[in-house]
Amino acid sequence: MSTIPLDLGLTPVRRKPFNGQSLDEVTAQLTAEIRELYTADQVPWVIGYSGGKDSTAVLQLVWMALRDLPAEQRTKTVHVISTDTLVENPVVAAWVSMSLDTMQKAADAQELPIEPHRLTPEVKDTFWVNLIGRGYPAPRPKFRWCTERLKIKPSNAFIRSVVAAHGEAIMVLGIRKAESQARARAMEKHEKRRVRDRLSPNANLPNSLVYSPVEDWTNDDVWEFLMQIPNPWGYNNQDLLTMYQGASGDGECPLVVDSTTPSCGSSRFGCWTCTLVEQDKSMSAMIQNDEEKEWMLPLLDLRNKLDAPFGHYEEGDPDLPPGRKAPFPRPDKPARDFRRMNGSVMLFKDDAIHGPYLQAYREEWLRELLGAQTWIRAHAPEHVKNIELITLDELHEIRRTWVFDKHEVEDSLPRIYEEMTGEPFPGGPLDEQLVMGSDEMEVLKEVCDGDDLHYDMVRELLAVERKYRTMARRSGLFQALEQAVQKGYYDNHEDAVEFAARKKKWRDDIAENLTFDEENELDAPA
């Protein structure tokens, strides 16, 4: 079918795939380069695999190169690591999990030294343990606590173990200069410090080098390669394209484009809980483009609630996202304690810098999450009926954090779990470890007559005494009691702000009136 170009006064610019080279030429050159680098030493390789188009293309190139090597030259292991944050887009997470299983079977059958690994964060570092358990607010550009805990730490721990065992490691990544200007600048910077052809130093991990075979490819180069070259471990790249297509708002993924045509590569997958973006476009598009994926609506709804605005930022606010100007919606400020995690009150522009989520909100997030999981299990297609939005290990850690770290001795998690799932919580009672039972705590709350700060302080004092009661040496008891009193010292938010302001003024006045000798004397060690 012919097309009639519209005369818009513009000269269309077409970029030839692979800078004018044929696909066969590019593939032959890269696989030869990979074989040369692989056989040059005994340093093990670690391939970062997310299941997306770029990492799939890189793994496919390495697989093809190894397959063409004689068996006696396949002397070192190629580790394929995939980090599951436990809050990945469920469709993508299922795709990656099945791909890793298929990959292992194919590698064994083809006698290739390729070992897939599914990495997960430690329980104490997971998204829900930090948000629901510790009360960390939903991630923001200036408090991006999630990436380090969920992605970087698991992969870095694995790479360090490889380096510890072999002295070095070579990371093979699907990073490309065309992804963004920032990525291009970073890659060009590291190019200048290359110690061997195509191997750049890793700025974050010592004794590891980075190899990026598709660094000069465009989105369309990647898709042309994936569509033309069969997947060597038996997965269907057409399904990968379909997944990207479903995550695009317009539902289209053109492969040969001119300068005005959008590419399917603009689709981005990530955590379904991510609040670092204004909206989850990929999940919204999946739901819009496929009726069978409407079961993800509760996830989208919960993600939007985590990002819901409750107030407004002020100009100069330390939490104001980069590039934004006040007034700008401030998420969840009323849901957070006016005290920091350690109980201190810090001021910014005559108001407290808010800390973790309050108990009531953390309990509500847990209800929302368990409710979404229960609904999906009841209404979703058969292949996702056993979905686990939060693991039992995470629930146990949240319960421990609430009761023993935050002194919320009501032990409300089992009750919430049964309320939202209709099943008893699979964990033993904590009665022997609690200072009071739930009935007694209800009486204490009634006695406090709505004074939440007073109730929290008395509850924490009782918990501290219970903790130290069985110790042979009760060292630290008085400091713990003093800290509990200091946290609950105030009448309310306004009283805390006034007290902190008076304290700051008192310190400033003293500092202003000190002589040089007095300052040195005060700063001297005891």
Side-chain angles (χ1 to χ4, degrees):
M1 182 178 68
S2 62
T3 59
I4 301 175
L6 297 176
D7 184 8
L8 300 178
L10 300 173
T11 303
V13 178
R14 289 185 179 273
R15 174 195 179 278
K16 292 183 179 180
F18 304 108
N19 285 321
Q21 290 183 287
S22 71
L23 176 59
D24 290 341
E25 289 174 333
V26 170
T27 303
Q29 290 172 7
L30 279 177
T31 52
E33 177 182 276
I34 290 168
R35 283 191 292 272
E36 181 182 351
L37 289 171
Y38 177 84
T39 56
D41 51 46
Q42 290 301 309
V43 180
W45 284 18
V46 179
I47 300 180
Y49 177 72
S50 67
K53 65 184 190 308
D54 298 331
S55 60
T56 299
V58 166
L59 178 55
Q60 197 161 311
L61 284 167
V62 173
W63 193 296
M64 293 163 59
L66 294 184
R67 191 176 55 188
D68 292 339
L69 275 175
E72 62 271 14
Q73 290 187 328
R74 302 172 193 160
T75 55
K76 61 186 183 184
T77 303
V78 174
H79 300 281
V80 179
I81 61 172
S82 179
T83 304
D84 184 353
T85 63
L86 303 180
V87 284
E88 298 290 330
N89 180 304
V91 174
V92 180
W95 165 272
V96 173
S97 180
M98 291 175 61
S99 181
L100 292 175
D101 292 341
T102 305
M103 196 183 299
Q104 183 65 75
K105 294 174 183 175
D108 293 342
Q110 299 175 34
E111 298 181 346
L112 297 177
I114 294 175
E115 294 184 5
H117 305 268
R118 176 179 173 268
L119 309 179
T120 57
E122 295 183 45
V123 174
K124 65 181 181 65
D125 289 330
T126 66
F127 184 86
W128 295 120
V129 165
N130 281 282
L131 188 136
I132 295 178
R134 294 188 177 92
Y136 283 15
R140 300 293 164 212
K142 291 194 176 181
F143 188 39
R144 190 171 180 160
W145 54 263
C146 52
T147 306
E148 171 72 21
R149 289 172 171 82
L150 305 185
K151 289 181 175 290
I152 297 175
K153 285 178 69 174
S155 58
N156 282 5
F158 183 89
I159 295 165
R160 287 193 181 100
S161 70
V162 173
V163 171
H166 300 275
E168 284 184 280
I170 294 176
M171 297 184 61
V172 188
L173 304 177
I175 52 177
R176 295 181 298 106
K177 295 175 184 176
E179 289 181 78
S180 67
Q181 292 182 353
R183 173 60 60 82
R185 286 194 298 269
M187 293 178 70
E188 288 165 0
K189 174 185 174 183
H190 290 305
E191 276 181 21
K192 299 175 182 177
R193 299 168 54 205
R194 282 181 169 166
V195 294
R196 282 164 48 190
D197 290 343
R198 301 299 298 271
L199 298 182
S200 303
N202 189 328
N204 300 316
L205 290 169
N207 295 342
S208 62
L209 299 171
V210 174
Y211 173 42
S212 46
V214 298
E215 60 184 20
D216 294 318
W217 286 16
T218 65
N219 287 332
D220 300 314
D221 293 339
V222 175
W223 282 120
E224 180 167 344
F225 171 78
L226 292 176
M227 292 299 102
Q228 298 295 325
I229 305 295
N231 186 296
W233 60 90
Y235 233 43
N236 190 343
N237 287 344
Q238 182 64 46
D239 292 341
L240 178 64
L241 175 65
T242 301
M243 186 167 66
Y244 270 85
Q245 186 177 16
S248 299
D250 55 9
E252 295 183 0
C253 287
L255 300 182
V256 180
V257 299
D258 58 28
S259 60
T260 63
T261 307
S263 171
C264 183
S266 61
S267 302
R268 302 294 293 179
F269 299 113
C271 302
W272 66 266
T273 56
C274 185
T275 50
L276 295 170
V277 292
E278 291 188 11
Q279 57 179 312
D280 190 333
K281 295 181 179 179
S282 64
M283 183 177 285
S284 299
M286 282 183 174
I287 296 170
Q288 172 188 324
N289 295 334
D290 188 349
E291 290 183 1
E292 289 189 1
K293 292 186 174 63
E294 288 184 356
W295 59 268
M296 291 196 293
L297 277 170
L299 305 187
L300 192 61
D301 182 53
L302 178 53
R303 181 261 167 215
N304 291 338
K305 287 179 180 177
L306 283 172
D307 201 29
F310 287 90
H312 288 85
Y313 290 103
E314 296 177 9
E315 199 67 56
D317 193 315
D319 289 335
L320 184 66
R324 296 286 188 176
K325 294 183 179 180
F328 180 73
R330 168 191 286 279
D332 61 31
K333 186 172 180 179
R336 294 162 58 185
D337 197 336
F338 61 82
R339 298 162 295 188
R340 307 298 293 216
M341 195 75 77
N342 61 4
S344 64
V345 177
M346 298 180 64
L347 297 182
F348 175 79
K349 284 198 171 182
D350 300 325
D351 193 9
I353 299 176
H354 284 56
Y357 285 133
L358 296 165
Q359 179 180 354
Y361 284 88
R362 285 184 277 109
E363 291 179 349
E364 188 58 32
W365 292 137
L366 180 60
R367 286 191 182 90
E368 292 275 358
L369 180 61
L370 291 173
Q373 178 175 280
T374 303
W375 187 92
I376 291 172
R377 287 181 174 181
H379 297 88
E382 194 64 34
H383 66 280
V384 289
K385 278 191 176 295
N386 294 322
I387 192 170
E388 199 171 44
L389 300 182
I390 183 170
T391 66
L392 281 177
D393 286 342
E394 290 177 286
L395 289 169
H396 288 306
E397 179 62 16
I398 290 171
R399 185 188 189 191
R400 188 203 64 77
T401 302
W402 284 4
V403 172
F404 298 112
D405 294 349
K406 292 187 172 293
H407 310 294
E408 294 165 3
V409 292
E410 302 91 343
D411 191 22
S412 58
L413 188 144
R415 171 176 49 80
I416 294 173
Y417 183 89
E418 185 167 358
E419 172 189 324
M420 300 310 299
T421 67
E423 301 173 359
F425 181 68
L430 298 178
D431 294 346
E432 295 181 359
Q433 304 175 56
L434 299 179
V435 64
M436 287 184 177
S438 57
D439 293 339
E440 289 85 354
M441 297 311 298
E442 285 297 326
V443 173
L444 176 61
K445 183 167 282 192
E446 290 178 12
V447 171
C448 291
D449 193 25
D451 188 341
D452 291 336
L453 286 175
H454 188 195
Y455 170 73
D456 290 346
M457 182 182 70
V458 174
R459 181 181 63 183
E460 185 165 345
L461 288 171
L462 290 169
V464 168
E465 171 57 27
R466 173 69 180 82
K467 174 182 176 181
Y468 283 88
R469 186 173 62 188
T470 56
M471 293 183 178
R473 293 184 69 254
R474 289 155 63 95
S475 174
L477 170 62
F478 291 114
Q479 290 89 336
L481 291 173
E482 182 180 3
Q483 186 178 19
V485 172
Q486 288 177 344
K487 287 173 64 177
Y489 171 80
Y490 319 104
D491 290 335
N492 49 39
H493 177 187
E494 291 73 20
D495 182 42
V497 171
E498 290 177 9
F499 179 81
R502 290 197 305 271
K503 190 175 179 180
K504 181 178 183 301
K505 185 177 184 302
W506 175 72
R507 285 178 172 172
D508 292 344
D509 290 344
I510 289 180
E512 186 177 335
N513 294 323
L514 282 178
T515 65
F516 178 77
D517 290 337
E518 287 173 327
E519 286 186 28
N520 287 342
E521 185 177 334
L522 286 177
D523 290 339

